[in-house]
Structures are given as C-alpha cells and as structure tokens.
Amino acid sequence: MSSKNNDDNNNDEDHRVTLKNGSVIQLHSEPQSLAKTTGWMTWNASVALIDYLQSPHCKNDDIGSHNIMADLSTGNGLVALAAAYLGASSVVATEVPSCSALTRVNVECNPTVKDLIQVKDYLWGDDTCPIQGCDLVLACDLLFIAIRDSIYEQLHKALVDICKGNKKLLFAYEERIVNKEQAFMANIAKELKVEAVPDDHIEVTNDGDDMFYEPPSIRMYFLTMKK
C-alpha cells in the first residue's frame, strides 16, 4: 500500500492511497473541527491490517472469502474503504457522532464503492450495536485510546457484543503501553477465543529511505466467541 499527498490545492489535506490491486482510495484527512481528535488520523495498525488483507496470509487464514464486513470506530474511513475496494459486498463503518461526518465525507470521495458502505453512529458499550451478521469485523488501533481515556471497559463490552453477533473479529493495535495492553487482552481471553496472527504475517512497510527506520510493533488477534 502506498500513499501520496494531493498538492493540487495547498489548502486541502487530500491524499490518495493505492492498494495492490490498483484501486486508489481518496481521503480528506482533516476537517478543522476534528483537528484535536484521533479520529482523523491514519494509524500504523490500520496500514498493517490493510497490508495483511492483501497478503497471501489472509487467504491462508481463511478470511479472504469474507464478503460482509464491518470496521469498528473507523475514524477517517480508510480501512472500511479498503475493505470495499478489496471485494467486500457490503461494509458497515461505525464512528462516534463527533467524527462520523469525516467518515461520510471520505466515503463520498470514493464513488466506485460508496454505495457499498453504510456509516453508523455508535459508542462502545451502547445497548444496540449496528454491527450484526458480518463475516469479518475489523478493529484497528482502539486499545491505546481506550486505556488513555479510561474507557477500556466500554471497549471490552463492545468487542464481546460484536463477537456474539458476528462470525469473527480481527483486532489490531500498535504496542504502546504493553503491560496494560496485555492485561486487557488477558481479560478479553476470559470471554472470547483469542488467536494471534503470527508476527511474520504482519508487515509494516517504510516508504521512505531512512536506514535507521524501526517499524512499530503491531499485534493482531482473531477474536471469536468461545464454543
């Protein structure tokens, strides 16, 4: 996956992301109202997850054929858009009401797939979850925010609720606060089956030429209900 800024208009924060199948995702990253939130940014785990979805390991892990997908707390919508461009028949993208306007803007910027994506407002832990009946739910880089803002119990409930109503969830995050992240995953494992994606199946590419670049530590787990 490669990314390129659009310099045609210096007042815009538009950029394009090219997938391996040649599809080009158009994004507008920063409405002023979201400048101080995390919702407008593209995080490392999202990039790694999209690369994983395009890799041979994806099919080997039996998720390549999934058609009905969702993206929990999609932010700028990149992962949801990638899922649609990579062949999902439909995608539900959720976000908090204060950020979902950006998601809708970016979906409209991609007319080829916009009719495949439904944007739904959703707060972790709400009694009613709009993600139901999906083959695969994606969730990228939510753990740091949950720990930072002390809303990890709400995230825990959301993940369990989603696994109850959907086949499989792919949970990805960049390691930042390792002891608290490990504690969260240990608690999740009490209610859900947790299967780690092997480290050698996860790639974080460096588009630059910095010889001292060190890729971030990304963790991915498949979560399903215990039988």
Side-chain angles (χ1 to χ4, degrees):
M1 188 179 79
S2 63
S3 177
K4 182 179 181 181
N5 290 328
N6 185 350
D7 296 327
D8 293 340
N9 187 337
N10 291 331
N11 294 321
D12 290 338
E13 292 294 334
D14 293 343
H15 65 278
R16 299 184 298 274
V17 176
T18 303
L19 303 176
K20 292 179 181 178
N21 66 5
S23 300
V24 178
I25 301 171
Q26 188 79 26
L27 292 175
H28 185 77
S29 294
E30 189 187 355
Q32 191 61 37
S33 62
L34 297 178
K36 294 184 179 180
T37 77
T38 57
W40 62 272
M41 296 182 65
T42 297
W43 297 90
N44 287 319
S46 297
V47 176
L49 186 143
I50 292 170
D51 284 342
Y52 175 71
L53 291 177
Q54 299 175 93
S55 74
H57 303 302
C58 175
K59 293 182 180 179
N60 292 341
D61 289 329
D62 195 32
I63 66 170
S65 61
H66 290 157
N67 288 324
I68 303 173
M69 299 177 70
D71 183 22
L72 174 66
S73 299
T74 189
N76 63 15
L78 173 61
V79 172
L81 287 161
Y85 275 113
L86 292 173
S89 61
S90 64
V91 182
V92 174
T94 74
E95 210 13 291
V96 298
S98 60
C99 292
S100 60
L102 171 61
T103 308
R104 292 184 173 92
V105 167
N106 282 335
V107 169
E108 288 297 318
C109 286
N110 293 268
T112 303
V113 297
K114 71 175 185 177
D115 292 338
L116 302 179
I117 302 173
Q118 299 179 63
V119 181
K120 302 284 188 179
D121 291 344
Y122 174 63
L123 298 172
W124 299 342
D126 280 356
D127 290 337
T128 302
C129 178
I131 298 175
Q132 297 290 333
C134 294
D135 297 300
L136 180 66
V137 179
L138 309 172
C140 296
D141 242 335
L142 309 181
L143 191 47
F144 169 72
I145 298 165
I147 293 171
R148 183 197 66 184
D149 295 348
S150 298
I151 52 175
Y152 44 84
E153 291 182 357
Q154 290 91 327
L155 178 59
H156 181 120
K157 182 180 185 302
L159 296 179
V160 173
D161 288 347
I162 287 170
C163 286
K164 288 178 180 177
N166 302 274
K167 290 183 179 179
K168 188 178 291 188
L169 188 150
L170 181 54
F171 187 65
Y173 65 89
E174 178 182 345
E175 284 190 335
R176 296 181 180 91
I177 311 171
V178 176
N179 59 332
K180 292 185 177 182
E181 291 160 351
Q182 290 177 343
F184 180 89
M185 295 307 302
N187 281 328
I188 279 289
K190 295 176 182 178
E191 296 187 65
L192 301 176
K193 182 180 179 181
V194 178
E195 296 179 278
V197 174
D199 289 345
D200 61 358
H201 290 191
I202 302 170
E203 294 184 12
V204 181
T205 57
N206 175 22
D207 290 333
D209 56 1
D210 185 357
M211 65 181 294
F212 300 107
Y213 173 80
E214 183 176 347
S217 296
I218 304 295
R219 298 287 174 256
M220 291 188 198
Y221 299 93
F222 286 110
L223 307 181
T224 54
M225 290 301 301
K226 290 184 175 179
K227 296 181 179 180

